[in-house]
Each structure stands twice: as C-alpha cells, then as structure tokens.
Amino acid sequence: MDLVKLISTKMGWLNPKVANYIESKLKKIPLVKNKMDVEYDKLLQDIAHSLKPYDTEFESFKKIPKDGISKAQILEWMETFNKRESDRWTDGFVSGAVYHGDQEHIDFLNKVYALQSQSNPLHADLWPSTTKIEGEIVTMTAHLLGKGKTGAADEICGTVNSGGTESILLAMKTYRDFYRHEKGIKNPEMILPISAHAAFDKAAQYFNIKPVKIPLRADYKVDVNKVAGAINKNTIVIVGSAPCFPYGVIDPIEELSALALEHKIGFHTDACLGGFILPFAEKLGYDIPLFDFRLPGVSSISADTHKYGYAAKGTSVVLYRQKEMRHFQYFTITDWPGGLYFSPTLAGSRPGALSAACWASMLSIGEKGYLDATKKIFETAETLKKSIRQIPELKILGESFYVIAITSDQLNIYQVLDQMTAKGWNLNGLHHPPCFHFAITLRQTLPNLTDLFIKDLKAAVQFSKENKLSEEGMAPIYGMA
C-alpha cells in the first residue's frame, strides 16, 4: 500500500494544517522506498543462485508425474545432491549444523533408521520397542542433568520430541496450563533474556503468553535484578539459557532459579545447545556453573539429543522435575468418534526411527565417547579464541566455551563475514550488536583446521580494512534488516 495513503487514513483527527504538512513530507518517502525495493531485489537476485542452485539444472516437478520416475533415476539425483552438499560441511567449514559427521557414525545411524523406518510411537501396541527406546532416552538424559542428585522425591521425567523448538513449545504450553490450574492465571507472562531462543517468541505467539524481554549486562548475561523487577502476579515462568545461541554464554541460572523458587513460579533452563556437552565438560574439570536439576528452582530443562548428543536430526528431550507438571503437557480426548486419542507431544504420528537412531547414538558413543568429543571441542575452541584475541580489529563477545561470537569496533563485521563466506566458511550472522559466531563441533577438531580458519580470518580483516564495503553478498542485507 502507498505509505502516504496508509498514514493519511489515520490522520483524520489531526488539525487540517498539520495533516497537510505531514502529508507533504510523506510524499517524498515512496521515492526512497522504491529505491530500497530496487536495491533489495538486486541483492536477492545476486544470491538467488546460492539459495536455489538446482532450479536450472534439474527438472522441476509442479505436479505428480503421470507415469512415475524410475527409482534408479531418483537415486541418481539423490546421490548428486548428497555429494554436492556433504562436500560443504565434511571439511569442518560450517558453524554448528552438523555436530558429529563421521561417516561410520552416519552409516550406523542410517542402518538403525532403516530397521525402524515404519515404526510410530503413536501405535505403541504395534511397536512396543518405541516405548522402551524413548523411555530410556528420557531416563539417560535425566540422569545426565541431575536425576539421582535431587533428594528422595526424585521424579524427574519427560518426553522425546522433534527438536529444541518443540521442547520449548511444550514446556511453555505446560507452564501455561499448569499455572492456570494451580493459580487461576488467565493472562500468563514469561520472563526471558533478549538473547533467549526465538522458539520462546513462537511459544508466546502460539499459546498467548506475554513475553517480557529483559536486557543483558555488559557480559551478555541476562540482568538478574531486572528479572526480579519484572515478576508479577501473572508470571508463570522465568527462562535462562545454558548457553544462549547468539553468544554462547550461560545465564546466571543459579540466581534466576532461586528467584523462581522464592516466588513459587516455574524456571526453565534452555540447555538445547548445552545439555549434552556441559555435563561432560564439568566431568573433565572445566568450571561449568550449575544449570540443571541440582538447583532446586529449576523445574524444567530442554536438551537437544540431535546437537551434541550426536543423534540424527531431529530429536530433543524436555524434562520436568515433577510428574504432575508433565501431565499438563499431554493432550487427550475421550469423546472423539475415532476413539480414545492421546498424544504426549505436539505431533500425533512420529517417526520412531529417529528415536531409535537417537537411542543407538547415545548407547554406542557412551560416556567415554562423549568425554573424548567434549575434550576435543573445548580444546579447539580455546585455541581459536586465543588466536582471535590476537587480531586487534576483532573482539569476542562474552565469556563462552564453544560458541564464539566475533564483532569489531573498527570494521563492518558483515563485510568480514562476507569474505569468510567467499573462502568457503559458513558462519552465523547475528544482530544486536552486529557480529557473527562460530559454533565449534567435532567437524572443527580436524587437523590444521583452526590454523586455516585464523589465516582466512586475518585475510578477511585485511581486505575489509583496505576496501570499501561491497554492494554484493549478505553484508548489505544484514544492514538493511
């Protein structure tokens, strides 16, 4: 819609002279807007091929083919896709995304998946193995995160679901319904850091929970005092990250959970990124702050098995301190003509094969395997951080362990990011403040990779110092966003 027309319709209450003056100024805006549209379209065209590289090379199917394509042809296409796309991450140039990546491990999980490809936890009578598998995934995860260390009335329980976003959605839905039942809260609010995962905003939108965003301190951890000041009669849950996605820092979980305990409200630790690496780092002697059920104020935790648990995408676990609370996660209906219906998660039918692959991953790696992997990742991250700190134009945001957020007071950091992308690195561009991060996984522990990263990073910094910001690549898009 024309911006002048849009705003003019809202100005009927204004003094006519004031309205005319504002409208005369607004008439200049469409010219600027149109110019931005042109620039934006150009930028999108510049990166279109990288977003959809197969459009012009492979046949595109808008309708189901009449006679069907041969299985051999389809497998040939899939092998082409796999070869091209695996080449992008196997060498360790990608931040996060692939957390294990060893071909032997992948082949093993694929075999497990094939054997369970038809299983569905919704029909546990047909596939009772799914009950055993998911129950053991939950119990193993619970013990990793404090079960057995919380006292005699240890009820820690949970469910397996499709990923971190669903774990968070389920937990927030559970808190909404639990506190509606317990306290009669009809206008629920959640208190969370601005660095909390976007899935909490999704939960707020889906379940009509008001998100109360709290700013960060200078160390990029949430401001506990401001969290305390935001608690009111409608607060159902406080959220803390261990660690947060943008900067990799761990919020003051002990202080936050103590606040929740004092006010008799929920506290959720989002350990999607840390649940399967921080406990092993603690065992290795790293100074990891408490974030799990050993803190009495922690009432739920989300932990992604498909990240540092090294399972296939997508599985995650959501845990609760009390069975009573988990009850409010479930969906049941008894008067449906289709019969009794029960679902513990958002989905009805689910791929039991993914749960089987997750279970197989946890069992085959074992505690020793997780400890070895964690040691490699932490040591690689320390080497990288030390080298980055020696580049005077760059700085690392916050004190993190294995997610390294990089910014600059002297350069356009997005131009540095563009140069790294041009050299084959796939890093995460972030906002507020402008930065990018490198999440270290097992793929980055390959020999000589850290040296190559630092070499390319220094070259990218030098290029950015010597050249004007290019109008191509992602840098202008991040700026416009």
Side-chain angles (χ1 to χ4, degrees):
M1 179 183 289
D2 188 308
L3 190 59
V4 174
K5 291 180 181 177
L6 175 66
I7 300 181
S8 294
T9 59
K10 306 294 183 183
M11 296 196 304
W13 56 272
L14 290 175
N15 178 292
K17 289 184 178 180
V18 176
N20 290 337
Y21 173 78
I22 294 175
E23 187 168 359
S24 69
K25 296 297 183 184
L26 287 173
K27 285 179 179 178
K28 297 178 181 179
I29 292 177
L31 295 176
V32 178
K33 180 176 179 287
N34 289 339
K35 183 179 178 182
M36 285 184 66
D37 286 343
V38 170
E39 290 298 316
Y40 186 68
D41 289 343
K42 179 179 180 299
L43 289 167
L44 290 182
Q45 289 169 10
D46 289 341
I47 64 171
H49 181 69
S50 65
L51 295 174
K52 298 182 178 180
Y54 304 124
D55 274 4
T56 57
E57 187 177 351
F58 292 87
E59 185 178 355
S60 179
F61 297 97
K62 303 291 191 281
K63 298 179 180 179
I64 297 175
K66 184 176 180 181
D67 296 321
I69 307 298
S70 73
K71 293 181 176 67
Q73 176 62 78
I74 293 169
L75 289 172
E76 182 182 326
W77 288 336
M78 294 306 298
E79 286 169 1
T80 300
F81 298 155
N82 181 59
K83 176 67 170 64
R84 292 188 186 180
E85 292 167 6
S86 63
D87 283 350
R88 299 191 65 191
W89 58 259
T90 50
D91 291 337
F93 279 50
V94 176
S95 168
V98 179
Y99 290 80
H100 195 289
D102 178 75
Q103 193 58 50
E104 183 180 348
H105 182 68
I106 293 170
D107 291 342
F108 169 64
L109 296 188
N110 287 342
K111 286 178 182 178
V112 173
Y113 189 99
L115 291 168
Q116 288 277 319
S117 66
Q118 301 305 300
S119 68
N120 181 354
L122 187 64
H123 300 287
D125 55 332
L126 292 177
W127 293 282
S129 60
T130 60
T131 302
K132 168 185 170 61
I133 285 167
E134 293 197 343
E136 291 180 10
I137 291 170
V138 169
T139 302
M140 286 189 285
T141 305
H143 277 92
L144 186 64
L145 298 174
K147 186 174 177 63
K149 301 175 183 177
T150 64
D154 194 327
E155 295 185 339
I156 297 170
C157 57
T159 61
V160 177
N161 54 76
S162 66
T165 291
E166 188 177 1
S167 282
I168 289 167
L169 290 174
L170 290 168
M172 296 306 105
K173 181 263 183 195
T174 298
Y175 282 116
R176 183 198 67 176
D177 294 352
F178 178 79
Y179 283 104
R180 179 192 295 156
H181 178 268
E182 292 292 309
K183 295 184 178 181
I185 296 176
K186 297 179 180 179
N187 299 297
E189 298 183 8
M190 65 168 87
I191 300 175
L192 65 160
I194 61 171
S195 56
H197 197 278
F200 290 98
D201 290 279
K202 183 180 282 190
Q205 185 179 119
Y206 283 5
F207 305 130
N208 198 27
I209 303 170
K210 180 182 176 182
V212 180
K213 301 287 187 75
I214 305 298
L216 309 180
R217 307 181 312 208
D219 59 2
Y220 292 91
K221 299 177 182 180
V222 71
D223 189 320
V224 178
N225 291 330
K226 290 185 178 177
V227 169
I231 297 171
N232 62 38
K233 64 179 182 179
N234 289 319
T235 304
I236 58 172
V237 62
I238 299 171
V239 172
S241 305
C244 71
F245 173 82
Y247 319 114
V249 301
I250 300 173
D251 284 318
I253 305 297
E254 188 165 3
E255 297 173 66
L256 294 169
S257 62
L259 275 176
L261 193 64
E262 177 188 347
H263 290 272
K264 297 181 180 179
I265 55 179
F267 181 84
H268 182 83
T269 298
D270 176 18
C272 287
L273 195 53
F276 278 84
I277 188 168
L278 293 178
F280 298 110
E282 183 181 346
K283 285 179 179 289
L284 289 169
Y286 287 93
D287 185 17
I288 306 297
L290 288 176
F291 67 92
D292 58 21
F293 288 112
R294 289 173 291 175
L295 296 172
V298 173
S299 49
S300 64
I301 301 177
S302 50
D304 281 0
T305 41
H306 69 192
K307 287 190 173 76
Y308 293 99
Y310 307 125
K313 299 284 185 179
T315 57
S316 178
V317 175
V318 60
L319 299 171
Y320 300 97
R321 181 177 291 274
Q322 298 173 315
K323 291 179 180 178
E324 181 188 6
M325 181 167 282
R326 184 181 61 174
H327 169 79
F328 288 86
Q329 178 182 299
Y330 296 166
F331 174 82
T332 58
I333 184 169
T334 58
D335 57 355
W336 179 45
L340 297 174
Y341 184 91
F342 162 83
S343 177
T345 62
L346 296 179
S349 289
R350 293 186 290 117
L354 283 177
S355 294
C358 173
W359 178 75
S361 179
M362 294 172 73
L363 292 180
S364 63
I365 292 172
E367 183 176 13
K368 183 180 184 305
Y370 283 116
L371 287 168
D372 290 345
T374 300
K375 185 173 187 292
K376 290 178 182 177
I377 289 168
F378 269 57
E379 288 177 351
T380 298
E382 282 302 314
T383 299
L384 278 172
K385 287 187 288 185
K386 187 183 218 180
S387 298
I388 292 166
R389 290 189 178 110
Q390 292 173 358
I391 303 174
E393 295 83 5
L394 301 180
K395 68 177 182 179
I396 296 173
L397 298 176
E399 289 296 325
S400 65
F401 291 106
Y402 50 93
V403 178
I404 307 168
I406 304 169
T407 190
S408 176
D409 295 328
Q410 304 173 41
L411 304 172
N412 184 316
I413 198 64
Y414 298 135
Q415 186 175 22
V416 177
L417 174 59
D418 271 346
Q419 288 302 304
M420 293 298 285
T421 302
K423 294 176 184 296
W425 297 95
N426 188 295
L427 309 173
N428 297 91
L430 310 170
H431 288 131
H432 314 305
C435 61
F436 63 84
H437 84 206
F438 195 8
I440 309 305
T441 72
L442 273 176
R443 303 316 301 159
Q444 281 77 56
T445 66
L446 296 170
N448 304 317
L449 194 71
T450 54
D451 292 339
L452 179 57
F453 178 83
I454 294 301
K455 176 186 173 184
D456 286 346
L457 184 59
K458 287 179 178 178
V461 167
Q462 190 61 32
F463 179 91
S464 299
K465 287 169 65 177
E466 296 174 356
N467 294 272
K468 182 183 176 183
L469 179 63
S470 169
E471 292 185 1
E472 298 181 355
M474 290 299 294
I477 290 181
Y478 277 115
M480 291 170 68

